[in-house]
Amino acid sequence: RRSPMSDGKFFVDVPEDVVSSADVPFVVVCGWFGAKDSNVRKYTDELVKMGCATLRTTLPGALVFSPYSGGREKYAFALLTAVRATRQERGLMGPLYLMFMSNGGCWLHATLSGTGMLSREFADLDLAVSRGGGLIFDSSPAFMTVTSGAKVVTLGMSPVPRAVVTGGYYLAAACMVLGTIVTTGGLDALPVRKFWKDVREAPGRREMYLYSDSDPLTDSDKVAELVRERRREVDGCDITEVRWAKSRHCTHLIDKRDEYLAAWRTFLQGARRSGVD
């Protein structure tokens, strides 16, 4: 049931006992920065057990931190092309869910929102998300600052390498800020600012946010603020919110397993399929 496609960037799993592919929920899981495929597969394996077809991918680290959007846009286009091809080849014409883990995954959401790619070139997929599908955010979106970015790139490093990498990161960030001011006359074009703008202004969908107050990388108050704003100001938003007091970044499946899987099941029941259990 497993098949790599597109040079190993995208991996598809379809349940073996599918009776009617037209009604099977199709969940696309975009992993976090630095995630190994074996780690992301733990999530898709759980979804397959629930009767969902899945496609998983992880945006390369160089694209996550690139000051240029072109690489992320090409990757997002390739991802949607793979999703469309999989739906057509496997007959998966049911509801479509897009899941974004941390900002490594959520950069793809911001890219789709900022470019309008999903509603334009991939209107068929947009329709599949809107009719019975939705968006899932795990430990995302994270409000980014220079400090939080440094935490991400040095996660797990010993003190000396961490100090060296942190210094280099701050230097690169300073150069990026200066370059943006010189070329645009302001800071609005900074990738981190554009990311948050695109997340805030994304079209309204069925959305589920899974996050924690103890997460050192994703500011829970900022996520809660975003949720309130989208409920209040964005047409079409139907939001489910699960906020834990204590659970680690992108580890809710382990730390809060029963509650996490229950939230998935409830959200996936929006799909027109009685087989999700």
Side-chain angles (χ1 to χ4, degrees):
R1 65 182 172 88
R2 291 187 169 87
S3 59
M5 58 185 298
S6 189
D7 299 323
K9 291 190 295 185
F10 311 115
F11 297 86
V12 175
D13 285 352
V14 178
E16 296 174 351
D17 57 348
V18 168
V19 176
S20 175
S21 297
D23 294 325
V24 173
F26 187 15
V27 186
V28 178
V29 179
C30 303
W32 59 96
F33 167 72
K36 296 179 180 179
D37 179 65
S38 59
N39 296 133
V40 182
R41 182 175 145 184
K42 291 176 182 177
Y43 290 80
T44 57
D45 279 351
E46 295 290 346
L47 288 162
V48 170
K49 290 177 186 176
M50 293 182 188
C52 300
T54 67
L55 182 151
R56 66 182 183 274
T57 190
T58 299
L59 186 67
L63 298 182
V64 173
F65 286 97
S66 174
Y68 308 107
S69 63
R72 289 187 289 271
E73 291 174 11
K74 289 180 180 177
Y75 199 95
F77 190 91
L79 171 61
L80 293 185
T81 299
V83 171
R84 174 184 280 164
T86 302
R87 278 168 51 84
Q88 292 173 347
E89 291 169 6
R90 308 295 182 93
L92 298 168
M93 294 296 110
L96 177 64
Y97 291 82
L98 305 178
M99 177 172 167
F100 307 102
M101 304 192 70
S102 191
N103 278 6
C106 205
W107 263 114
L108 289 167
H109 168 60
T111 300
L112 296 179
S113 170
T115 61
M117 188 186 301
L118 183 60
S119 59
R120 192 175 60 247
E121 292 98 325
F122 297 90
D124 54 321
L125 303 185
D126 188 30
L127 191 63
V129 173
S130 300
R131 293 185 175 177
L135 308 181
I136 302 173
F137 299 90
D138 181 321
S139 306
S140 73
F143 184 80
M144 290 184 287
T145 64
V146 174
T147 301
S148 64
K151 285 182 181 179
V152 172
V153 297
T154 60
L155 203 63
M157 290 185 179
S158 55
V160 174
R162 184 188 303 128
V164 173
V165 173
T166 299
Y169 182 88
Y170 282 133
L171 178 60
C175 292
M176 187 187 302
V177 169
L178 181 59
T180 301
I181 293 174
V182 170
T183 56
T184 68
L187 294 174
D188 289 344
L190 275 175
V192 293
R193 289 202 174 186
K194 189 173 188 310
F195 169 87
W196 199 250
K197 177 177 182 292
D198 291 339
V199 164
R200 291 177 61 202
E201 297 178 357
R205 314 276 190 190
R206 287 186 65 240
E207 302 170 6
M208 180 165 69
Y209 295 81
L210 305 159
Y211 64 104
S212 165
D213 289 334
S214 65
D215 190 331
L217 301 179
T218 300
D219 186 331
S220 59
D221 288 336
K222 285 291 186 181
V223 177
E225 179 184 323
L226 174 70
V227 167
R228 288 193 299 270
E229 178 184 348
R230 289 184 62 74
R231 280 175 170 157
R232 184 177 64 247
E233 299 181 9
V234 181
D235 292 338
C237 267
D238 179 6
I239 295 179
T240 298
E241 181 183 11
V242 182
R243 181 176 182 174
W244 290 287
K246 188 174 182 181
S247 186
R248 292 170 294 166
H249 185 76
C250 285
T251 320
H252 308 316
L253 177 60
I254 297 173
D255 293 349
K256 300 293 180 179
R257 179 178 176 81
D258 291 345
E259 295 172 36
Y260 187 89
L261 294 178
W264 266 7
R265 290 188 188 97
T266 300
F267 193 70
L268 291 169
Q269 283 172 0
R272 294 165 296 183
R273 178 178 186 267
S274 60
V276 177
D277 55 20

